[in-house]
Amino acid sequence: MKKLKEFWASLDEETIISKRELFLGLLSCVLAGIVTGIFFSPRKNVTIGSNNGNGDYRDCNPLTDCEEEEE
């Protein structure tokens, strides 16, 4: 507990950092936030299309179906 209080007291000191260090620090925080957001977000299923079976040609024979429609 003593070390924790010493560390907390040491945070009051003023230090000068360069713009590059500030930018890289903010960038790393943003990227870490994005990664944790991806890992802890609820899983979502994305469906493109309606899945109503329009592409299922196992039961369809185009040659015989066209002949039946013409008659």
Side-chain angles (χ1 to χ4, degrees):
M1 191 68 175
K2 182 180 176 183
K3 288 186 177 187
L4 182 62
K5 287 182 181 181
E6 289 174 4
F7 173 71
W8 191 257
S10 71
L11 294 177
D12 290 333
E13 298 174 11
E14 290 185 18
T15 57
I16 299 174
I17 61 170
S18 68
K19 289 182 182 180
R20 181 180 292 168
E21 289 174 329
L22 180 63
F23 174 74
L24 291 176
L26 290 174
L27 183 66
S28 64
C29 289
V30 167
L31 292 176
I34 290 171
V35 170
T36 55
I38 289 171
F39 282 133
F40 291 116
S41 67
R43 182 169 296 281
K44 296 171 183 71
N45 293 328
V46 177
T47 302
I48 299 174
S50 62
N51 289 332
N52 61 2
N54 283 342
D56 192 16
Y57 294 109
R58 286 180 287 171
D59 297 330
C60 177
N61 187 354
L63 297 176
T64 58
D65 289 344
C66 290
E67 292 171 359
E68 291 174 1
E69 290 176 2
E70 292 174 358
E71 293 176 0

